[in-house]
Amino acid sequence: MQLSIAPHDRVFVLTGAGISAESGLPTFRAEDGLWAGHRVEDVCTPEAWDRNPAQVWEFYSMRRQAAQRAQPNPAHFALAALEARLGERLLVCTQNVDDLHERAGSTRLLHMHGELAKSRCERECGRPPVEDRRLYASLDQVPFCVCGGRLRPHIVFFGETPLEMERIQRELAAATCMLVVGTSGSVYPAANFVHWARRSGARTIYVGPEAPLNAEAFSQVIEGRAGEILPDLFGQG
Ligand code: APR
């Protein structure tokens, strides 16, 4: 089936780890997921950073390496092709920190949970994140900011505020169609976005192999793998 997009439609796409699953990157909450092998409180909280920055860098260096080795899959390319068709009427908001959307050609994109390919000062010194793809085998390899703070992964830890929330709220309020791909609906505020879109009267469609926790909020749930569904959904099959 094909998603009908009218000339007046503005499309807001939210992606999660599931869109990168067919690129070989693990999701979080599957049996063999990232949180099955690591404890959030050890690697993805401000307290973990303060207590053991070496362990945090070990985890994110492993994830950086995995993302660098992965390739975009047909789902990423389908969204990039949809952007070529819709232009500024499309925005992709990803929870993912890999750069597979960018490498597939998406430019109208924002990373609400940060980016693996960037690091930033651990202090609120005001300096912006820097491009950084290095893998740190030990803490003494990790550079410092000019202010003296140590560089940390540019990742939104649990308990921290997601990025670009004002822009997300504006874009959701203007959206007439919201497509959600490959996210379990376990984490907020992202799991609320579908409710915000419905309040604005948008159509809400979910794509993934299993219904998300917030399935009741979707006007349509299309069960399947993103790499197989999206090209046909956008009429690119
Ligand atoms: N195509 C589409 N969806 C898929 C595929 C696939 N090939 N394979 C798995 N999925 C779905 C799963 O069914 C699941 O619903 O992807 C979803 C992944 O869910 P999670 O592992 O919970 O990942 P996500 O929802 O992105 O997590 C949100 O939680 O841990 C934090 O910050 C982290 O951004 C992450 C956030």
Side-chain angles (χ1 to χ4, degrees), residues 16-18 21-22 27-29 35 95 113 158 182-184 187 209-210 226:
E22 289 156 271
T27 60
F28 291 94
R29 292 166 186 87
W35 297 146
Q95 299 174 88
H113 289 163
F158 281 89
T183 178
S184 62
V187 170
E210 54 203 350

Side-chain angles (χ1 to χ4, degrees), residues 66-127:
Q68 288 164 7
R69 289 175 172 168
Q71 296 302 322
N73 69 60
H76 297 106
F77 288 112
L79 282 172
L82 187 63
E83 176 184 316
R85 182 178 141 207
L86 298 184
E88 60 89 28
R89 292 191 294 125
L90 172 77
L91 177 72
V92 176
C93 169
T94 186
Q95 299 174 88
N96 300 340
V97 292
D98 63 58
D99 60 352
L100 296 180
H101 281 301
E102 291 91 328
R103 287 164 54 197
S106 285
T107 61
R108 289 188 53 77
L109 172 72
L110 68 86
H111 287 269
M112 65 179 289
H113 289 163
E115 298 174 65
L116 281 171
K118 292 181 180 170
S119 299
R120 72 167 192 259
C121 180
E122 67 182 335
R123 297 176 186 168
E124 306 293 325
C125 72
R127 288 176 179 79

Side-chain angles (χ1 to χ4, degrees), residues 3-158:
L3 178 67
S4 65
I5 301 175
H8 68 279
D9 273 322
R10 294 188 68 85
V11 181
F12 184 104
V13 182
L14 173 68
T15 65
I19 201 168
S20 297
E22 289 156 271
S23 297
L25 294 181
T27 60
F28 291 94
R29 292 166 186 87
E31 287 76 50
D32 58 349
L34 276 167
W35 297 146
H38 299 82
R39 289 170 7 111
V40 168
E41 50 272 32
D42 290 341
V43 294
C44 193
T45 62
E47 296 76 19
W49 174 256
D50 293 340
R51 184 175 62 245
N52 190 345
Q55 188 172 26
V56 174
W57 266 122
E58 180 186 359
F59 178 66
Y60 282 100
S61 293
M62 173 273 290
R63 293 192 63 194
R64 257 185 194 171
Q65 187 172 50
Q68 288 164 7
R69 289 175 172 168
Q71 296 302 322
N73 69 60
H76 297 106
F77 288 112
L79 282 172
L82 187 63
E83 176 184 316
R85 182 178 141 207
L86 298 184
E88 60 89 28
R89 292 191 294 125
L90 172 77
L91 177 72
V92 176
C93 169
T94 186
Q95 299 174 88
N96 300 340
V97 292
D98 63 58
D99 60 352
L100 296 180
H101 281 301
E102 291 91 328
R103 287 164 54 197
S106 285
T107 61
R108 289 188 53 77
L109 172 72
L110 68 86
H111 287 269
M112 65 179 289
H113 289 163
E115 298 174 65
L116 281 171
K118 292 181 180 170
S119 299
R120 72 167 192 259
C121 180
E122 67 182 335
R123 297 176 186 168
E124 306 293 325
C125 72
R127 288 176 179 79
V130 293
E131 287 292 320
D132 181 8
R133 298 173 187 275
R134 285 166 292 188
L135 309 179
Y136 297 114
S138 64
L139 201 55
D140 57 14
Q141 294 176 357
V142 179
F144 287 83
C145 173
V146 291
C147 80
R150 188 193 303 275
L151 287 194
R152 57 166 272 186
H154 179 49
I155 297 291
V156 177
F157 291 151
F158 281 89

